[in-house]
Amino acid sequence: MNGQVKANLSTERLLQVLLAPIVTEKATFVAEKNQQIAFRVVADATKPEIKAAVELLFKAEVESVQVLNTKGKAKRFGRFMGRRRNERKAYVSLKDGQELDFSQEVK
């Protein structure tokens, strides 16, 4: 079934799924402890899409993907109430011996 999923996903869509790696203290701790990498992804991304995008971009084998949605905080800007954007995060677990190289260029 894995081959069918990859065949159904277009390369253009996969290049748009991952927005940015999350580089925070918490994400770094999770990366060291659980061998997971955190990414910000588009709001309608599915787990198979995220897995295929990481494998396409970084040439690494993905074991599993966990996804969570966070609501944006309500914040005040002077006397106006605003809201931060809602985010969708993906925690990607790599198979043993796999590593992501962020220094390589996407072709």
Side-chain angles (χ1 to χ4, degrees), residues 1 9 20-21 35 52 55 63 84 100 104 106:
M1 180 179 159
L9 301 174
Q35 286 74 44
E55 289 178 348
E63 187 174 328
R84 289 187 183 166
L100 293 190
Q104 67 187 13
V106 177

Side-chain angles (χ1 to χ4, degrees), residues 63-74:
E63 187 174 328
S64 66
V65 177
Q66 287 88 29
V67 178
L68 70 107
N69 294 316
T70 57
K71 290 191 176 180
K73 289 183 175 180

Side-chain angles (χ1 to χ4, degrees), residues 34-74:
N34 301 331
Q35 286 74 44
Q36 292 181 323
I37 291 88
F39 289 99
R40 251 185 53 226
V41 295
V42 293
D44 59 344
T46 62
K47 286 183 180 185
E49 283 179 334
I50 295 166
K51 179 179 178 176
V54 170
E55 289 178 348
L56 174 75
L57 291 172
F58 298 105
K59 310 289 188 275
E61 294 181 40
V62 174
E63 187 174 328
S64 66
V65 177
Q66 287 88 29
V67 178
L68 70 107
N69 294 316
T70 57
K71 290 191 176 180
K73 289 183 175 180

Side-chain angles (χ1 to χ4, degrees), residues 22-34 36 38 91:
I22 299 173
V23 185
T24 61
E25 197 171 338
K26 182 179 178 181
T28 307
F29 179 74
V30 168
E32 290 174 1
K33 186 176 180 206
N34 301 331
Q36 292 181 323
Y91 288 94

Side-chain angles (χ1 to χ4, degrees), residues 55-107:
E55 289 178 348
L56 174 75
L57 291 172
F58 298 105
K59 310 289 188 275
E61 294 181 40
V62 174
E63 187 174 328
S64 66
V65 177
Q66 287 88 29
V67 178
L68 70 107
N69 294 316
T70 57
K71 290 191 176 180
K73 289 183 175 180
K75 300 294 261 181
R76 279 185 65 146
F77 299 100
R79 61 186 178 134
F80 303 106
M81 284 299 291
R83 189 167 189 84
R84 289 187 183 166
R85 67 173 172 260
N86 298 332
E87 283 188 332
R88 185 171 175 91
K89 296 179 189 177
Y91 288 94
V92 178
S93 299
L94 301 176
K95 292 186 179 174
D96 289 337
Q98 297 291 313
E99 235 177 60
L100 293 190
D101 184 15
F102 288 105
S103 63
Q104 67 187 13
E105 288 186 31
V106 177
K107 295 177 183 174

